[in-house]
Amino acid sequence: MSDPLYSGPEPTKLTIHQTDSPKDLLPPDQLKFGRSFTDHILCATWDANKGWSAPSIEPYKALSLDPAAAVFHYAFCCFEGMKAYKDSKGNMRLFRPEKNIRRLNTSAVRIALPAFDEDKVLKLLAEFTKTESRWIPEGRGFALYLRPTMIGTEPDLSVSRPQSALLYIIGSPVGNYFGSSGMKAISLEACSSPVRAWPGGVGDKKVGGNYAPTIVAQESAGTRGFQQVLWLLGDPQVPEQQYMTEVGTMNLFVAWINPETQTKELVTAPLDGTILPGITRDSILDLAQERLVPQGWHVAERRVYMTELKKASQEGRLLEVFGAGTALIVNPIRSISWNGEVIDCGLKEGQEVGEITITMKTWIEDIQYGEVEHSWR
Amino acid sequence: MSDPLYSGPEPTKLTIHQTDSPKDLLPPDQLKFGRSFTDHILCATWDANKGWSAPSIEPYKALSLDPAAAVFHYAFCCFEGMKAYKDSKGNMRLFRPEKNIRRLNTSAVRIALPAFDEDKVLKLLAEFTKTESRWIPEGRGFALYLRPTMIGTEPDLSVSRPQSALLYIIGSPVGNYFGSSGMKAISLEACSSPVRAWPGGVGDKKVGGNYAPTIVAQESAGTRGFQQVLWLLGDPQVPEQQYMTEVGTMNLFVAWINPETQTKELVTAPLDGTILPGITRDSILDLAQERLVPQGWHVAERRVYMTELKKASQEGRLLEVFGAGTALIVNPIRSISWNGEVIDCGLKEGQEVGEITITMKTWIEDIQYGEVEHSWR
């Protein structure tokens, strides 16, 4: 981006104001996702006339915004979620951060927030992570969750491009989601209405507006004993037309035996604009190409219809189903309730995770925690 | 709602802290929509354990929120737009405010924000309007625009129901949008992708997430000389399937001659979940039933396909097309660009507004400004 308005924020102008009152670290077993935050916040403001301001790292603080600020009214907000890890030598590692920063830029531009220089924001992200390095917990499953966020701040109630914005980064130390008990398979409720995203919508962007409308359906599934919602697309009245998109806030993978070729297949929904292009998703696809295909697997990005999934389960061809995302890497799925039936997803009784699911988790964590050298770290 | 958590905010507990430094009123000709605000803000906070706090009217001030507040990340935000008018006797009038407050409640509940007692919020709205009455400009076309807003404030990055929220009301004096030159017909560009809303989405709620994703398409239409986007639904590849939903942030009305019955018809899109249930829309439908139907008109809420509109225009049966919303009441439409053609919407050269359009505006303004007594005022 050569336009000087979008050429920042400039890391060489970064000022760091360390807090005078650093917080105590929480014991690792008390870390809850996204509830406690580190000592600092990184901020850079943007103005339609002046472009990006000099960024700063400051003591964590409340944001002060006019009640007419665009973000409060028209959801001018987008974000990223990523993690910083400590390897066995105590070195700080990020996992494919350039992918997150690129996606943030894409999300911002889609909702008329300003673009930025990705290399510069990557440098700022590294500086912030360095400043907060004492907050990165040690051990597998532990990490510092980083939340780059951009919001429109202009106090103007006209529905138009915000003339000012704020990019900020906060961090939250996160623990081992499953605790010491290991992984736990979840049950899903398939949902064809409400609908999470739509062709021509913003389902492929990490914008705030995708999230608030999902809570009620999620809670409703919870009251019936389901841990997550499987979001479908296709006419709610026509089960044969319904296909899988995402699960909760994760991408979805299915491992099954292709009925025609009798080969093992790992399939996931294609990036057709209704699916978040997950970085864990992308990593799994790459690792599958690299390590499963030589073992005879086929890997495909294509629509999976619920009728296909049901048939595979009935015929004993459904091997494993799992969600994939930054928070858990993978989340094994035991069953899916759909159209008045329960589709068994291939786990044996008492089995909480399938072979491909746990293998993927191990492969990715080995890279994240630096056990294996890889270009992604 | 008998649950005490949702039984507030309590107007009998309202505290009013008047500003020490009231602002100067802007001259009426300098009023821009949503840019300048009155002296005060009304606030009431909600907490999942304590319910609604005692509300307060305070000097207009910035909101101070944790950077992890739910609204910044997951678009927990909804709002209303309504106007307070001054009649020729200097009395303050609101137009069907109970409808706005009901819709705000519906919007809030859809995105997991707390419900409230509508009668109580109506009373608070009246109190706020009274406090700010010097800000209501006089004269037709002038009003105090009121913006009740609710946001999720809990600092928690988990995608879940916010455990705290803020309801607030701000006001912005607004002028005569068209200035002294009278109304001006606009040209639309029909858009089948991106889409504004979809079945199973939140297009019928006034939630923030509906707005940010519309800006880029709106700007893009602007570069081609169109003032607004006409949002279509239906396969972008199949023109015959495309039908009209809304225009910009307004509902859409078409007045035409039915080819079968040869009667005059006023039609608008049905409330199928993809359309905002506009209060101006509702008022126009009611007035049309009351005053046009006796003149032989037919009034219908039904899908209007673009092919139908084009055919009506070609056959000289298209009388008028107009947008309807709080900001302008009605906005006459000259033409719609669709599928490589320009559909002429029935205005003669030099004519800026059709008969039904201006009649509707007059009927509604007569009620809003108290020229005619009506139960809606």
Side-chain angles (χ1 to χ4, degrees):
Chain A
M1 187 84 55
S2 61
D3 188 329
L5 277 178
Y6 307 113
S7 69
E10 186 51 67
T12 58
K13 293 186 182 162
L14 176 69
T15 56
I16 302 182
H17 169 202
Q18 295 268 1
T19 181
D20 296 330
S21 47
K23 301 176 210 170
D24 290 336
L25 299 181
L26 277 179
D29 61 345
Q30 285 179 31
L31 295 175
K32 281 188 183 165
F33 176 82
R35 293 288 187 92
S36 62
F37 299 91
T38 64
D39 288 320
H40 300 93
I41 179 172
L42 183 144
C43 292
T45 60
W46 179 86
D47 175 286
N49 297 312
K50 292 178 279 182
W52 286 102
S53 71
S56 61
I57 291 175
E58 303 163 50
Y60 192 90
K61 59 167 188 185
L63 303 178
S64 178
L65 290 175
D66 195 288
V71 63
F72 295 136
H73 302 272
Y74 307 127
F76 288 102
C77 51
C78 57
F79 66 95
E80 275 302 320
M82 53 203 304
K83 287 177 174 172
Y85 308 87
K86 214 166 253 179
D87 70 18
S88 54
K89 293 175 194 133
N91 298 318
M92 182 183 96
R93 286 166 178 270
L94 292 165
F95 182 70
R96 310 185 81 184
E98 71 286 355
K99 288 245 172 202
N100 293 91
I101 297 306
R102 170 150 304 165
R103 192 170 61 183
L104 182 63
N105 223 352
T106 314
S107 297
V109 168
R110 176 63 183 82
I111 56 169
L113 288 173
F116 52 79
D117 184 307
E118 291 168 19
D119 288 336
K120 291 177 181 172
V121 169
L122 265 174
K123 285 196 182 105
L124 291 170
L125 181 77
E127 278 301 323
F128 178 75
T129 311
K130 220 166 76 184
T131 307
E132 302 303 66
S133 60
R134 76 179 183 101
W135 287 93
I136 310 176
E138 280 174 43
R140 279 248 179 164
F142 292 88
L144 178 63
Y145 180 84
L146 297 166
R147 174 57 65 101
T149 308
M150 203 196 298
I151 59 176
T153 53
E154 191 191 16
D156 178 1
L157 298 182
S158 69
V159 180
S160 58
R161 179 176 292 266
Q163 300 298 296
S164 61
L166 171 68
L167 170 69
Y168 64 93
I169 304 175
I170 54 176
S172 171
V174 293
N176 195 336
Y177 185 85
F178 290 109
S180 53
S181 60
M183 296 192 114
K184 211 148 171 52
I186 59 172
S187 299
L188 310 184
E189 185 172 55
C191 175
S192 58
S193 182
V195 175
R196 190 195 83 91
W198 190 264
V202 285
D204 58 344
K205 303 294 183 298
K206 231 167 157 61
V207 298
N210 286 334
Y211 295 84
T214 67
I215 306 298
V216 172
Q218 171 68 34
E219 287 182 343
S220 173
T223 63
R224 290 183 289 274
F226 302 100
Q227 284 84 43
Q228 293 279 351
V229 169
L230 172 61
W231 301 105
L232 304 182
L233 265 174
D235 192 330
Q237 307 302 325
V238 187
E240 294 71 29
Q241 291 183 7
Q242 295 168 13
Y243 57 95
M244 310 194 287
T245 65
E246 294 191 15
V247 49
T249 59
M250 296 182 285
N251 292 121
L252 188 75
F253 281 86
V254 174
W256 62 13
I257 293 166
N258 184 305
E260 283 155 31
T261 62
Q262 292 297 317
T263 54
K264 289 179 180 173
E265 272 187 352
L266 184 68
V267 296
T268 193
L271 300 180
D272 63 359
T274 67
I275 307 287
L276 192 80
I279 290 152
T280 307
R281 175 189 178 281
D282 186 73
S283 305
I284 288 172
L285 286 174
D286 278 5
L287 289 170
Q289 284 291 352
E290 180 189 307
R291 303 179 189 183
L292 292 182
V293 168
Q295 296 177 34
W297 282 71
H298 183 69
V299 179
E301 295 173 68
R302 73 155 176 94
R303 278 192 191 173
V304 176
Y305 287 86
M306 291 306 293
T307 46
E308 291 183 278
L309 192 80
K310 180 182 154 189
K311 192 151 176 277
S313 176
Q314 286 171 337
E315 295 174 358
R317 292 184 288 102
L318 188 51
L319 306 173
E320 297 173 40
V321 182
F322 60 94
T326 296
L328 306 179
I329 306 176
V330 293
N331 197 355
I333 291 161
R334 180 171 304 286
S335 65
I336 301 172
S337 170
W338 172 69
N339 199 31
E341 304 177 72
V342 174
I343 300 174
D344 184 289
C345 293
L347 292 176
K348 295 186 189 70
E349 212 178 305
Q351 187 188 7
E352 295 296 338
V353 58
E355 193 189 329
I356 292 302
T357 310
I358 191 72
T359 300
M360 278 298 169
K361 182 177 156 78
T362 306
W363 284 347
I364 290 178
E365 281 192 340
D366 280 350
I367 298 168
Q368 288 174 336
Y369 290 91
E371 305 292 321
V372 169
E373 279 308 315
H374 197 286
S375 60
W376 290 344
R377 59 123 200 162
Chain B
M1 187 84 54
S2 61
D3 187 329
L5 277 178
Y6 306 112
S7 69
E10 187 51 67
T12 59
K13 294 186 181 161
L14 176 68
T15 56
I16 301 181
H17 170 200
Q18 294 267 2
T19 182
D20 296 330
S21 46
K23 302 176 212 173
D24 290 335
L25 298 180
L26 277 179
D29 62 346
Q30 285 177 32
L31 295 175
K32 282 190 183 164
F33 176 82
R35 293 289 187 91
S36 62
F37 299 92
T38 65
D39 286 321
H40 300 94
I41 179 171
L42 183 142
C43 293
T45 60
W46 180 87
D47 175 287
N49 297 310
K50 293 178 278 183
W52 286 102
S53 71
S56 61
I57 291 174
E58 304 162 51
Y60 192 90
K61 60 169 187 182
L63 303 178
S64 178
L65 290 174
D66 193 288
V71 61
F72 295 136
H73 303 274
Y74 307 128
F76 288 102
C77 51
C78 58
F79 66 94
E80 274 302 322
M82 55 204 303
K83 287 177 175 173
Y85 308 87
K86 215 165 255 178
D87 69 18
S88 55
K89 292 175 196 134
N91 297 317
M92 182 183 94
R93 289 166 177 268
L94 291 166
F95 182 69
R96 311 185 81 184
E98 71 287 354
K99 289 246 171 200
N100 292 92
I101 297 305
R102 169 149 305 163
R103 192 170 61 183
L104 182 63
N105 222 352
T106 314
S107 298
V109 168
R110 175 64 183 82
I111 56 168
L113 287 174
F116 52 79
D117 184 307
E118 290 168 17
D119 287 338
K120 291 178 182 173
V121 170
L122 264 175
K123 285 195 183 106
L124 291 169
L125 181 77
E127 278 301 324
F128 178 76
T129 311
K130 220 166 75 184
T131 306
E132 303 302 66
S133 60
R134 76 179 183 101
W135 288 93
I136 310 177
E138 280 174 47
R140 280 250 177 160
F142 292 88
L144 178 62
Y145 180 84
L146 297 166
R147 173 57 64 100
T149 308
M150 203 196 299
I151 58 175
T153 53
E154 191 192 16
D156 179 1
L157 297 184
S158 69
V159 180
S160 58
R161 181 177 290 269
Q163 301 297 296
S164 60
L166 171 68
L167 171 69
Y168 64 93
I169 304 174
I170 54 177
S172 172
V174 293
N176 195 337
Y177 184 86
F178 291 108
S180 53
S181 58
M183 298 192 111
K184 206 143 175 57
I186 59 172
S187 299
L188 310 183
E189 184 173 56
C191 175
S192 59
S193 183
V195 294
R196 190 196 83 91
W198 52 85
V202 287
D204 58 345
K205 304 294 183 294
K206 231 167 156 61
V207 298
N210 285 336
Y211 295 84
T214 67
I215 306 297
V216 172
Q218 171 67 35
E219 288 181 342
S220 173
T223 63
R224 289 182 290 274
F226 302 101
Q227 283 83 45
Q228 293 279 351
V229 169
L230 172 61
W231 300 105
L232 305 181
L233 266 175
D235 192 329
Q237 306 303 324
V238 188
E240 294 71 29
Q241 291 183 7
Q242 295 168 13
Y243 57 95
M244 309 194 286
T245 65
E246 295 191 14
V247 50
T249 60
M250 296 182 284
N251 293 121
L252 188 75
F253 281 85
V254 174
W256 61 13
I257 293 167
N258 183 305
E260 283 154 32
T261 63
Q262 293 297 317
T263 54
K264 288 179 181 175
E265 272 186 354
L266 184 67
V267 296
T268 193
L271 300 181
D272 63 359
T274 67
I275 306 288
L276 192 80
I279 290 152
T280 307
R281 173 189 180 280
D282 186 74
S283 305
I284 288 172
L285 285 173
D286 278 6
L287 288 170
Q289 284 292 351
E290 183 188 305
R291 304 181 189 182
L292 292 183
V293 168
Q295 296 179 33
W297 281 73
H298 184 69
V299 178
E301 295 173 67
R302 74 154 176 95
R303 279 192 190 171
V304 176
Y305 287 86
M306 290 306 293
T307 47
E308 291 182 277
L309 193 80
K310 179 180 153 186
K311 193 151 174 279
S313 176
Q314 286 171 336
E315 296 175 359
R317 292 184 289 102
L318 188 52
L319 305 173
E320 296 172 38
V321 182
F322 60 95
T326 296
L328 304 180
I329 308 176
V330 293
N331 197 354
I333 292 161
R334 180 171 304 284
S335 65
I336 301 172
S337 169
W338 172 70
N339 199 31
E341 304 178 72
V342 175
I343 300 174
D344 184 289
C345 292
L347 293 176
K348 296 187 188 69
E349 211 178 306
Q351 187 187 7
E352 296 295 338
V353 59
E355 191 189 330
I356 291 303
T357 310
I358 192 72
T359 300
M360 279 298 168
K361 181 177 155 81
T362 306
W363 284 348
I364 291 179
E365 280 192 340
D366 280 349
I367 298 167
Q368 287 173 337
Y369 291 89
E371 303 294 320
V372 169
E373 278 309 313
H374 197 284
S375 60
W376 291 343
R377 59 124 199 159

